[in-house]
Amino acid sequence: MSQLKGWNFTLNMVFISFLIMGLLVGTTYFLTRHEVKEINQNETSNETLNESERVFDILDLEVTLGNEEIVFDWTNDRCIDHDAPDTTARAFRNFKNEIVLVSGNSPDGHFMVGNDFDSLERNCDPVIYSGDEVDAESFDNREWITSTYTFDGKTIYALVHNEYHDPIAINCLPRDTSSRNQCWYNSISSAESTDGGYNFLQEETPNHVIAFPPFECDPYFGVDFDDSRFNETTSRARPYGYFSPANIFKGPEDYYYSFIRAIPDPRGPPSQGMCLMRTKNLGESDSWRFWDETSFQGKFLNPYTNEEVPICPFIDGVGTNLRSVNYNSYLGKYIGITSGRMSNADDKSVCGTWLLVSDDLFEWSKPLLLKESAFKYSPCDDESISMDVYPTIIDHTSQSRSFDVSGQDINLYFVRQNRWTNNSLDHMDRDLVRIPIHLKKI
């Protein structure tokens, strides 16, 4: 902010010059400014965060962050030790007018339920049980419900993040199907509840699969056996497949959309991004189609039954970890929430949670930093900063049962990992946190 103020006179002169030129040719040029303000517990700050001030080309927005609030405290609220928020929070309003908050783990997924967002409590009856099959071709392994949508509050459609960790190959972790096993093969499947979100069931495999990985599972995929560093007990393929669906939201042409993270091809240099899929029938797993760079005609094919399988291409400008998209009625645009290391206004790389906006889901604004965060990779592994992951926004007053429409006042939800150790129990020590956000067009 101080840097921009220091050049205030110069910017004003440039603006006036462009304005005069615009009037001469019948076009007016506007500069826009974005600010983030953070409210402390005892006072309101008038200072803005330097790294979050930037010039955009489509929006003029001030974002005010309120105080943090713990929604789920693992120490006090867990049902069992591995009951932790291990996915992005989603909400829906069921037919009993209850708020159901998706925030579970695998192999048993637990939700929170309450009459409103201030009375949510953990339901210790799992809503889904992972199939935990030991073969990859089943696509019925370790499962997380990551996205939900409902029209009537009784039938709930869900997208499921399905992880297969090879428990057989010697270079993996024998007899272990959990995420401790780094041999990782991922797909997206569906589940459905007909009782308001208390129990979810799936079709028989492979009919429940939405997004098959482009290749069969091979723990040695891409491993160079001639490399002097090769070790049969440690050398393994990189994680690959389709991961972590963002929320389902109603979008253009009355379709239902979701972004999914793609690490499609383990053969070449590491490459990952977000691809976009849509359907008009949430009850049909096979109806989802992805954007193939010309139209939504891309079809996910089973690599075990098809020789050639198309790969879902990436959407530019959203990073590699887009977790939340909804239509914001106040801005008249789609809002996206992503996390990771991105560039701020000064082209300085910052690790944190970011907000983007779009008119059409394809062209996105530059990212606006909401808050800094640490992550378990360099150079973001700063233990002096809290490690906040899985961000999303939910408007508590949304009229949509699925909360895919937001307004001027929203809440940023995220998971805070409290400990940095790799101890399995410490790894579960996670809290679900929310921060109120007020949007204001300037």
Side-chain angles (χ1 to χ4, degrees):
M1 183 69 172
S2 58
Q3 184 176 14
L4 288 181
K5 284 183 177 178
W7 289 94
N8 187 48
F9 176 78
T10 303
L11 287 175
N12 285 337
M13 293 302 296
V14 171
F15 176 79
I16 292 171
S17 299
F18 273 96
L19 182 58
I20 293 172
M21 291 174 62
L23 291 173
L24 292 175
V25 298
T27 305
T28 303
Y29 294 84
F30 293 89
L31 295 180
T32 58
R33 186 184 66 176
H34 287 232
E35 296 179 340
V36 171
K37 295 181 180 178
E38 185 170 2
I39 299 176
N40 296 325
Q41 290 187 359
N42 299 318
E43 62 181 358
T44 300
S45 173
N46 291 320
E47 297 180 355
T48 57
L49 302 178
N50 291 336
E51 62 267 27
S52 61
E53 174 110 3
R54 57 169 56 247
V55 175
F56 286 121
D57 55 0
I58 60 170
L59 186 63
D60 210 3
L61 181 66
E62 180 181 273
V63 181
T64 305
L65 277 68
N67 298 324
E68 290 187 357
E69 180 183 0
I70 303 295
V71 180
F72 173 92
D73 183 334
W74 181 81
T75 302
N76 299 314
D77 298 335
R78 71 184 189 270
C79 298
I80 51 180
D81 283 346
H82 73 259
D83 174 26
D86 193 36
T87 187
T88 309
R90 312 291 184 206
F92 60 88
R93 188 180 295 106
N94 70 14
F95 72 103
K96 298 179 181 180
N97 212 32
E98 297 170 323
I99 300 297
V100 180
L101 194 70
V102 179
S103 56
N105 197 4
S106 177
D108 306 329
H110 297 86
F111 288 177
M112 301 184 77
V113 182
N115 291 325
D116 52 40
F117 283 95
D118 294 323
S119 61
L120 292 167
E121 294 184 354
R122 203 61 159 181
N123 176 14
C124 287
D125 294 325
V127 300
I128 190 170
Y129 295 90
S130 295
D132 210 13
E133 298 291 338
V134 297
D135 62 295
E137 192 174 352
S138 69
F139 299 103
D140 186 17
N141 313 110
R142 289 290 182 111
E143 298 168 296
W144 287 254
I145 290 179
T146 60
S147 310
T148 52
Y149 203 93
T150 183
F151 300 103
D152 59 9
K154 191 164 188 177
T155 299
I156 319 296
Y157 303 102
L159 299 180
V160 177
H161 166 99
N162 180 75
E163 295 184 8
Y164 174 71
H165 298 276
D166 192 326
I168 300 171
I170 191 172
N171 63 321
C172 299
L173 197 58
R175 298 180 299 279
D176 191 338
T177 60
S178 76
S179 55
R180 290 187 297 268
N181 185 340
Q182 295 182 37
C183 292
W184 189 348
Y185 182 66
N186 219 88
S187 59
I188 307 298
S189 55
S190 64
E192 186 175 318
S193 170
T194 57
D195 63 0
Y198 282 91
N199 296 278
F200 284 82
L201 299 175
Q202 294 178 294
E203 293 184 76
E204 293 293 328
T205 189
N207 297 329
H208 70 303
V209 182
I210 291 174
F212 294 95
F215 301 95
E216 296 182 16
C217 181
D218 182 349
Y220 288 111
F221 217 157
V223 175
D224 185 356
F225 290 88
D226 296 325
D227 192 323
S228 60
R229 296 168 296 178
F230 172 77
N231 185 312
E232 69 173 6
T233 62
T234 59
S235 297
R236 59 183 65 87
R238 298 187 299 269
Y240 62 101
Y242 297 114
F243 304 73
S244 307
N247 58 297
I248 302 170
F249 62 96
K250 189 175 182 179
E253 302 179 34
D254 290 332
Y255 278 85
Y256 298 91
Y257 294 75
S258 182
F259 283 85
I260 59 176
R261 188 180 185 187
I263 311 177
D265 193 345
R267 298 171 301 180
S271 178
Q272 58 181 301
M274 303 298 302
C275 65
L276 180 60
M277 63 180 188
R278 74 178 190 181
T279 183
K280 274 197 172 180
N281 189 347
L282 293 171
E284 293 290 338
S285 302
D286 189 50
S287 67
W288 288 87
R289 297 291 183 271
F290 63 78
W291 177 256
D292 62 9
E293 297 185 320
T294 58
S295 65
F296 281 99
Q297 297 297 320
K299 182 174 173 57
F300 298 101
L301 299 177
N302 189 338
Y304 289 91
T305 58
N306 294 272
E307 292 185 3
E308 295 186 7
V309 177
I311 293 177
C312 186
F314 303 154
I315 301 295
D316 293 333
V318 295
T320 62
N321 203 24
L322 186 66
R323 293 282 181 167
S324 171
V325 178
N326 63 49
Y327 182 76
N328 187 271
S329 58
Y330 172 68
L331 300 177
K333 300 177 185 295
Y334 295 97
I335 286 184
I337 302 294
T338 188
S339 63
R341 186 185 183 206
M342 305 181 83
S343 296
N344 65 11
D346 300 321
D347 288 329
K348 174 186 174 183
S349 293
V350 180
C351 304
T353 299
W354 305 80
L355 180 148
L356 313 92
V357 296
S358 174
D359 291 313
D360 60 5
L361 305 178
F362 294 100
E363 298 292 331
W364 289 84
S365 69
K366 296 177 181 178
L368 168 67
L369 181 67
L370 293 178
K371 63 185 300 295
E372 290 192 37
S373 176
F375 305 109
K376 279 192 173 181
Y377 56 84
S378 179
C380 298
D381 50 349
D382 182 350
E383 295 190 31
S384 67
I385 302 174
S386 60
M387 182 162 47
D388 299 333
V389 296
Y390 306 145
T392 190
I393 55 172
I394 301 174
D395 181 347
H396 293 178
T397 64
S398 177
Q399 297 302 302
S400 166
R401 281 191 178 272
S402 300
F403 295 90
D404 61 329
V405 177
S406 60
Q408 188 172 9
D409 292 291
I410 57 181
N411 282 267
L412 174 68
Y413 281 74
F414 54 88
V415 174
R416 173 162 294 160
Q417 189 160 330
N418 293 314
R419 307 186 195 185
W420 283 78
T421 69
N422 288 321
N423 176 280
S424 59
L425 192 58
D426 287 348
H427 187 65
M428 288 295 100
D429 188 356
R430 305 176 178 194
D431 297 334
L432 182 62
V433 184
R434 70 186 175 208
I435 299 176
I437 293 178
H438 180 73
L439 306 176
K440 182 181 177 181
K441 291 182 285 190
I442 304 173

mmCIF file of all heavy atoms in Angstrom, residues 7-40:
data_model
loop_
_atom_site.group_PDB
_atom_site.id
_atom_site.type_symbol
_atom_site.label_atom_id
_atom_site.label_comp_id
_atom_site.label_asym_id
_atom_site.label_seq_id
_atom_site.Cartn_x
_atom_site.Cartn_y
_atom_site.Cartn_z
ATOM 1 N N TRP A 7 3.613 6.688 -5.042
ATOM 2 C CA TRP A 7 3.542 7.067 -6.462
ATOM 3 C C TRP A 7 2.173 7.646 -6.808
ATOM 4 O O TRP A 7 1.761 7.646 -7.956
ATOM 5 C CB TRP A 7 3.832 5.859 -7.338
ATOM 6 C CG TRP A 7 5.263 5.440 -7.279
ATOM 7 C CD1 TRP A 7 5.807 4.507 -6.470
ATOM 8 C CD2 TRP A 7 6.344 5.973 -8.043
ATOM 9 N NE1 TRP A 7 7.155 4.404 -6.678
ATOM 10 C CE2 TRP A 7 7.511 5.285 -7.652
ATOM 11 C CE3 TRP A 7 6.440 6.966 -9.023
ATOM 12 C CZ2 TRP A 7 8.754 5.554 -8.187
ATOM 13 C CZ3 TRP A 7 7.675 7.229 -9.562
ATOM 14 C CH2 TRP A 7 8.829 6.547 -9.143
ATOM 15 N N ASN A 8 1.459 8.117 -5.796
ATOM 16 C CA ASN A 8 0.088 8.563 -5.994
ATOM 17 C C ASN A 8 0.005 9.676 -7.040
ATOM 18 O O ASN A 8 -0.842 9.663 -7.926
ATOM 19 C CB ASN A 8 -0.484 9.043 -4.659
ATOM 20 C CG ASN A 8 -1.949 9.362 -4.757
ATOM 21 O OD1 ASN A 8 -2.700 8.563 -5.285
ATOM 22 N ND2 ASN A 8 -2.348 10.510 -4.247
ATOM 23 N N PHE A 9 0.922 10.685 -6.926
ATOM 24 C CA PHE A 9 0.865 11.807 -7.871
ATOM 25 C C PHE A 9 1.135 11.338 -9.280
ATOM 26 O O PHE A 9 0.434 11.712 -10.234
ATOM 27 C CB PHE A 9 1.885 12.868 -7.441
ATOM 28 C CG PHE A 9 1.973 14.039 -8.415
ATOM 29 C CD1 PHE A 9 1.002 15.022 -8.411
ATOM 30 C CD2 PHE A 9 3.015 14.125 -9.336
ATOM 31 C CE1 PHE A 9 1.075 16.079 -9.297
ATOM 32 C CE2 PHE A 9 3.074 15.178 -10.221
ATOM 33 C CZ PHE A 9 2.113 16.164 -10.207
ATOM 34 N N THR A 10 2.151 10.462 -9.434
ATOM 35 C CA THR A 10 2.486 9.962 -10.771
ATOM 36 C C THR A 10 1.336 9.177 -11.358
ATOM 37 O O THR A 10 0.980 9.336 -12.525
ATOM 38 C CB THR A 10 3.744 9.065 -10.695
ATOM 39 O OG1 THR A 10 4.804 9.836 -10.122
ATOM 40 C CG2 THR A 10 4.135 8.581 -12.074
ATOM 41 N N LEU A 11 0.715 8.309 -10.539
ATOM 42 C CA LEU A 11 -0.406 7.505 -11.029
ATOM 43 C C LEU A 11 -1.570 8.388 -11.438
ATOM 44 O O LEU A 11 -2.256 8.136 -12.430
ATOM 45 C CB LEU A 11 -0.841 6.511 -9.949
ATOM 46 C CG LEU A 11 0.104 5.326 -9.718
ATOM 47 C CD1 LEU A 11 -0.391 4.505 -8.543
ATOM 48 C CD2 LEU A 11 0.196 4.460 -10.974
ATOM 49 N N ASN A 12 -1.818 9.430 -10.628
ATOM 50 C CA ASN A 12 -2.920 10.331 -10.969
ATOM 51 C C ASN A 12 -2.676 11.012 -12.308
ATOM 52 O O ASN A 12 -3.581 11.179 -13.122
ATOM 53 C CB ASN A 12 -3.092 11.387 -9.870
ATOM 54 C CG ASN A 12 -3.758 10.806 -8.641
ATOM 55 O OD1 ASN A 12 -4.442 9.792 -8.757
ATOM 56 N ND2 ASN A 12 -3.563 11.427 -7.483
ATOM 57 N N MET A 13 -1.425 11.457 -12.535
ATOM 58 C CA MET A 13 -1.122 12.112 -13.799
ATOM 59 C C MET A 13 -1.279 11.151 -14.959
ATOM 60 O O MET A 13 -1.805 11.503 -16.022
ATOM 61 C CB MET A 13 0.321 12.670 -13.753
ATOM 62 C CG MET A 13 0.496 13.821 -12.759
ATOM 63 S SD MET A 13 -0.586 15.218 -13.099
ATOM 64 C CE MET A 13 0.041 15.720 -14.706
ATOM 65 N N VAL A 14 -0.825 9.888 -14.740
ATOM 66 C CA VAL A 14 -0.983 8.892 -15.802
ATOM 67 C C VAL A 14 -2.452 8.639 -16.074
ATOM 68 O O VAL A 14 -2.912 8.548 -17.219
ATOM 69 C CB VAL A 14 -0.271 7.578 -15.408
ATOM 70 C CG1 VAL A 14 -0.619 6.473 -16.403
ATOM 71 C CG2 VAL A 14 1.234 7.793 -15.353
ATOM 72 N N PHE A 15 -3.234 8.544 -14.988
ATOM 73 C CA PHE A 15 -4.673 8.297 -15.131
ATOM 74 C C PHE A 15 -5.338 9.422 -15.918
ATOM 75 O O PHE A 15 -6.137 9.194 -16.822
ATOM 76 C CB PHE A 15 -5.302 8.160 -13.740
ATOM 77 C CG PHE A 15 -6.794 8.000 -13.776
ATOM 78 C CD1 PHE A 15 -7.353 6.782 -14.079
ATOM 79 C CD2 PHE A 15 -7.633 9.076 -13.515
ATOM 80 C CE1 PHE A 15 -8.717 6.625 -14.119
ATOM 81 C CE2 PHE A 15 -8.991 8.925 -13.556
ATOM 82 C CZ PHE A 15 -9.533 7.698 -13.863
ATOM 83 N N ILE A 16 -4.991 10.688 -15.543
ATOM 84 C CA ILE A 16 -5.596 11.836 -16.229
ATOM 85 C C ILE A 16 -5.235 11.827 -17.705
ATOM 86 O O ILE A 16 -6.063 12.081 -18.589
ATOM 87 C CB ILE A 16 -5.150 13.146 -15.556
ATOM 88 C CG1 ILE A 16 -5.754 13.232 -14.150
ATOM 89 C CG2 ILE A 16 -5.552 14.347 -16.384
ATOM 90 C CD1 ILE A 16 -5.204 14.369 -13.310
ATOM 91 N N SER A 17 -3.977 11.486 -17.988
ATOM 92 C CA SER A 17 -3.547 11.444 -19.384
ATOM 93 C C SER A 17 -4.337 10.419 -20.169
ATOM 94 O O SER A 17 -4.805 10.684 -21.281
ATOM 95 C CB SER A 17 -2.042 11.122 -19.451
ATOM 96 O OG SER A 17 -1.292 12.131 -18.796
ATOM 97 N N PHE A 18 -4.489 9.218 -19.581
ATOM 98 C CA PHE A 18 -5.250 8.169 -20.272
ATOM 99 C C PHE A 18 -6.710 8.558 -20.409
ATOM 100 O O PHE A 18 -7.363 8.248 -21.411
ATOM 101 C CB PHE A 18 -5.129 6.836 -19.515
ATOM 102 C CG PHE A 18 -3.926 6.041 -19.904
ATOM 103 C CD1 PHE A 18 -2.753 6.109 -19.164
ATOM 104 C CD2 PHE A 18 -3.963 5.218 -21.021
ATOM 105 C CE1 PHE A 18 -1.643 5.378 -19.524
ATOM 106 C CE2 PHE A 18 -2.856 4.486 -21.389
ATOM 107 C CZ PHE A 18 -1.686 4.575 -20.638
ATOM 108 N N LEU A 19 -7.258 9.242 -19.383
ATOM 109 C CA LEU A 19 -8.659 9.653 -19.441
ATOM 110 C C LEU A 19 -8.881 10.628 -20.585
ATOM 111 O O LEU A 19 -9.851 10.533 -21.346
ATOM 112 C CB LEU A 19 -9.061 10.280 -18.104
ATOM 113 C CG LEU A 19 -10.522 10.728 -17.973
ATOM 114 C CD1 LEU A 19 -11.450 9.557 -18.197
ATOM 115 C CD2 LEU A 19 -10.756 11.374 -16.621
ATOM 116 N N ILE A 20 -7.966 11.602 -20.716
ATOM 117 C CA ILE A 20 -8.091 12.575 -21.808
ATOM 118 C C ILE A 20 -7.990 11.870 -23.150
ATOM 119 O O ILE A 20 -8.780 12.122 -24.074
ATOM 120 C CB ILE A 20 -7.006 13.656 -21.675
ATOM 121 C CG1 ILE A 20 -7.261 14.497 -20.411
ATOM 122 C CG2 ILE A 20 -6.968 14.548 -22.907
ATOM 123 C CD1 ILE A 20 -6.147 15.477 -20.084
ATOM 124 N N MET A 21 -7.032 10.942 -23.272
ATOM 125 C CA MET A 21 -6.898 10.199 -24.524
ATOM 126 C C MET A 21 -8.151 9.401 -24.795
ATOM 127 O O MET A 21 -8.607 9.298 -25.942
ATOM 128 C CB MET A 21 -5.683 9.266 -24.432
ATOM 129 C CG MET A 21 -4.333 10.007 -24.397
ATOM 130 S SD MET A 21 -2.962 8.870 -24.119
ATOM 131 C CE MET A 21 -3.136 7.856 -25.591
ATOM 132 N N GLY A 22 -8.735 8.842 -23.729
ATOM 133 C CA GLY A 22 -9.949 8.053 -23.910
ATOM 134 C C GLY A 22 -11.098 8.889 -24.410
ATOM 135 O O GLY A 22 -11.878 8.478 -25.273
ATOM 136 N N LEU A 23 -11.225 10.096 -23.841
ATOM 137 C CA LEU A 23 -12.293 10.967 -24.294
ATOM 138 C C LEU A 23 -12.115 11.356 -25.752
ATOM 139 O O LEU A 23 -13.083 11.496 -26.501
ATOM 140 C CB LEU A 23 -12.333 12.222 -23.410
ATOM 141 C CG LEU A 23 -12.786 12.009 -21.961
ATOM 142 C CD1 LEU A 23 -12.608 13.282 -21.158
ATOM 143 C CD2 LEU A 23 -14.238 11.547 -21.934
ATOM 144 N N LEU A 24 -10.852 11.525 -26.172
ATOM 145 C CA LEU A 24 -10.595 11.915 -27.555
ATOM 146 C C LEU A 24 -10.981 10.823 -28.529
ATOM 147 O O LEU A 24 -11.402 11.087 -29.648
ATOM 148 C CB LEU A 24 -9.115 12.290 -27.732
ATOM 149 C CG LEU A 24 -8.666 13.589 -27.010
ATOM 150 C CD1 LEU A 24 -7.158 13.774 -27.154
ATOM 151 C CD2 LEU A 24 -9.418 14.800 -27.585
ATOM 152 N N VAL A 25 -10.828 9.571 -28.124
ATOM 153 C CA VAL A 25 -11.126 8.477 -29.053
ATOM 154 C C VAL A 25 -12.427 7.769 -28.710
ATOM 155 O O VAL A 25 -12.759 6.745 -29.280
ATOM 156 C CB VAL A 25 -9.965 7.451 -29.063
ATOM 157 C CG1 VAL A 25 -8.692 8.111 -29.541
ATOM 158 C CG2 VAL A 25 -9.771 6.827 -27.688
ATOM 159 N N GLY A 26 -13.160 8.315 -27.748
ATOM 160 C CA GLY A 26 -14.454 7.736 -27.415
ATOM 161 C C GLY A 26 -14.366 6.567 -26.463
ATOM 162 O O GLY A 26 -15.318 5.823 -26.322
ATOM 163 N N THR A 27 -13.227 6.360 -25.728
ATOM 164 C CA THR A 27 -13.067 5.251 -24.804
ATOM 165 C C THR A 27 -12.514 5.781 -23.491
ATOM 166 O O THR A 27 -11.630 6.625 -23.478
ATOM 167 C CB THR A 27 -12.076 4.200 -25.352
ATOM 168 O OG1 THR A 27 -12.528 3.790 -26.629
ATOM 169 C CG2 THR A 27 -11.986 3.007 -24.414
ATOM 170 N N THR A 28 -13.060 5.314 -22.367
ATOM 171 C CA THR A 28 -12.574 5.721 -21.064
ATOM 172 C C THR A 28 -11.832 4.566 -20.421
ATOM 173 O O THR A 28 -12.306 3.438 -20.428
ATOM 174 C CB THR A 28 -13.753 6.146 -20.155
ATOM 175 O OG1 THR A 28 -14.465 7.193 -20.808
ATOM 176 C CG2 THR A 28 -13.248 6.625 -18.798
ATOM 177 N N TYR A 29 -10.648 4.825 -19.819
ATOM 178 C CA TYR A 29 -9.848 3.806 -19.157
ATOM 179 C C TYR A 29 -9.984 3.985 -17.651
ATOM 180 O O TYR A 29 -9.900 5.097 -17.140
ATOM 181 C CB TYR A 29 -8.362 3.954 -19.560
ATOM 182 C CG TYR A 29 -8.131 3.674 -21.004
ATOM 183 C CD1 TYR A 29 -8.318 4.674 -21.956
ATOM 184 C CD2 TYR A 29 -7.743 2.419 -21.438
ATOM 185 C CE1 TYR A 29 -8.105 4.432 -23.300
ATOM 186 C CE2 TYR A 29 -7.531 2.170 -22.781
ATOM 187 C CZ TYR A 29 -7.716 3.178 -23.700
ATOM 188 O OH TYR A 29 -7.515 2.923 -25.030
ATOM 189 N N PHE A 30 -10.162 2.894 -16.947
ATOM 190 C CA PHE A 30 -10.316 2.948 -15.502
ATOM 191 C C PHE A 30 -9.238 2.095 -14.842
ATOM 192 O O PHE A 30 -8.978 0.976 -15.280
ATOM 193 C CB PHE A 30 -11.692 2.417 -15.075
ATOM 194 C CG PHE A 30 -12.819 3.293 -15.514
ATOM 195 C CD1 PHE A 30 -13.418 3.093 -16.751
ATOM 196 C CD2 PHE A 30 -13.272 4.311 -14.707
ATOM 197 C CE1 PHE A 30 -14.467 3.910 -17.164
ATOM 198 C CE2 PHE A 30 -14.309 5.118 -15.119
ATOM 199 C CZ PHE A 30 -14.904 4.926 -16.344
ATOM 200 N N LEU A 31 -8.625 2.644 -13.782
ATOM 201 C CA LEU A 31 -7.750 1.857 -12.937
ATOM 202 C C LEU A 31 -8.586 1.300 -11.796
ATOM 203 O O LEU A 31 -9.475 1.972 -11.281
ATOM 204 C CB LEU A 31 -6.614 2.723 -12.356
ATOM 205 C CG LEU A 31 -5.620 3.296 -13.375
ATOM 206 C CD1 LEU A 31 -4.577 4.127 -12.646
ATOM 207 C CD2 LEU A 31 -4.951 2.178 -14.144
ATOM 208 N N THR A 32 -8.288 0.085 -11.387
ATOM 209 C CA THR A 32 -9.029 -0.526 -10.285
ATOM 210 C C THR A 32 -8.067 -0.927 -9.193
ATOM 211 O O THR A 32 -6.902 -1.174 -9.421
ATOM 212 C CB THR A 32 -9.802 -1.777 -10.746
ATOM 213 O OG1 THR A 32 -8.876 -2.710 -11.290
ATOM 214 C CG2 THR A 32 -10.830 -1.420 -11.785
ATOM 215 N N ARG A 33 -8.566 -1.008 -7.958
ATOM 216 C CA ARG A 33 -7.726 -1.309 -6.817
ATOM 217 C C ARG A 33 -8.406 -2.341 -5.933
ATOM 218 O O ARG A 33 -9.604 -2.278 -5.696
ATOM 219 C CB ARG A 33 -7.469 -0.031 -6.004
ATOM 220 C CG ARG A 33 -6.480 -0.223 -4.869
ATOM 221 C CD ARG A 33 -6.348 1.040 -4.040
ATOM 222 N NE ARG A 33 -7.594 1.338 -3.349
ATOM 223 C CZ ARG A 33 -7.723 2.343 -2.498
ATOM 224 N NH1 ARG A 33 -6.728 3.150 -2.264
ATOM 225 N NH2 ARG A 33 -8.880 2.553 -1.901
ATOM 226 N N HIS A 34 -7.610 -3.282 -5.404
ATOM 227 C CA HIS A 34 -8.123 -4.298 -4.490
ATOM 228 C C HIS A 34 -7.444 -4.131 -3.152
ATOM 229 O O HIS A 34 -6.242 -3.944 -3.084
ATOM 230 C CB HIS A 34 -7.815 -5.696 -5.012
ATOM 231 C CG HIS A 34 -8.654 -6.077 -6.183
ATOM 232 N ND1 HIS A 34 -9.362 -7.228 -6.249
ATOM 233 C CD2 HIS A 34 -8.909 -5.429 -7.338
ATOM 234 C CE1 HIS A 34 -9.994 -7.299 -7.397
ATOM 235 N NE2 HIS A 34 -9.730 -6.217 -8.067
ATOM 236 N N GLU A 35 -8.197 -4.238 -2.093
ATOM 237 C CA GLU A 35 -7.626 -4.149 -0.762
ATOM 238 C C GLU A 35 -8.158 -5.289 0.098
ATOM 239 O O GLU A 35 -9.281 -5.744 -0.076
ATOM 240 C CB GLU A 35 -7.991 -2.823 -0.081
ATOM 241 C CG GLU A 35 -7.412 -1.593 -0.791
ATOM 242 C CD GLU A 35 -7.810 -0.317 -0.093
ATOM 243 O OE1 GLU A 35 -8.800 -0.343 0.659
ATOM 244 O OE2 GLU A 35 -7.136 0.675 -0.295
ATOM 245 N N VAL A 36 -7.322 -5.738 1.042
ATOM 246 C CA VAL A 36 -7.755 -6.670 2.072
ATOM 247 C C VAL A 36 -7.531 -6.001 3.410
ATOM 248 O O VAL A 36 -6.452 -5.516 3.692
ATOM 249 C CB VAL A 36 -6.962 -7.993 2.014
ATOM 250 C CG1 VAL A 36 -7.288 -8.832 3.240
ATOM 251 C CG2 VAL A 36 -7.321 -8.772 0.768
ATOM 252 N N LYS A 37 -8.540 -5.942 4.233
ATOM 253 C CA LYS A 37 -8.413 -5.405 5.584
ATOM 254 C C LYS A 37 -8.709 -6.517 6.572
ATOM 255 O O LYS A 37 -9.623 -7.304 6.377
ATOM 256 C CB LYS A 37 -9.393 -4.243 5.808
ATOM 257 C CG LYS A 37 -9.102 -3.028 4.924
ATOM 258 C CD LYS A 37 -10.074 -1.915 5.206
ATOM 259 C CE LYS A 37 -9.793 -0.697 4.325
ATOM 260 N NZ LYS A 37 -10.772 0.387 4.562
ATOM 261 N N GLU A 38 -7.944 -6.563 7.654
ATOM 262 C CA GLU A 38 -8.145 -7.590 8.670
ATOM 263 C C GLU A 38 -8.548 -6.940 9.981
ATOM 264 O O GLU A 38 -7.895 -6.013 10.459
ATOM 265 C CB GLU A 38 -6.868 -8.405 8.873
ATOM 266 C CG GLU A 38 -7.069 -9.563 9.831
ATOM 267 C CD GLU A 38 -5.876 -10.506 9.840
ATOM 268 O OE1 GLU A 38 -4.896 -10.225 9.139
ATOM 269 O OE2 GLU A 38 -5.951 -11.498 10.555
ATOM 270 N N ILE A 39 -9.628 -7.409 10.579
ATOM 271 C CA ILE A 39 -10.111 -6.864 11.839
ATOM 272 C C ILE A 39 -9.482 -7.647 12.983
ATOM 273 O O ILE A 39 -9.622 -8.871 13.052
ATOM 274 C CB ILE A 39 -11.644 -6.953 11.938
ATOM 275 C CG1 ILE A 39 -12.279 -6.134 10.806
ATOM 276 C CG2 ILE A 39 -12.138 -6.456 13.277
ATOM 277 C CD1 ILE A 39 -13.779 -6.239 10.764
ATOM 278 N N ASN A 40 -8.785 -6.960 13.882
ATOM 279 C CA ASN A 40 -8.240 -7.603 15.063
ATOM 280 C C ASN A 40 -9.346 -7.817 16.075
ATOM 281 O O ASN A 40 -10.445 -7.274 15.953
ATOM 282 C CB ASN A 40 -7.125 -6.751 15.668
ATOM 283 C CG ASN A 40 -5.943 -6.620 14.732
ATOM 284 O OD1 ASN A 40 -5.622 -7.562 14.013
ATOM 285 N ND2 ASN A 40 -5.315 -5.447 14.717
#
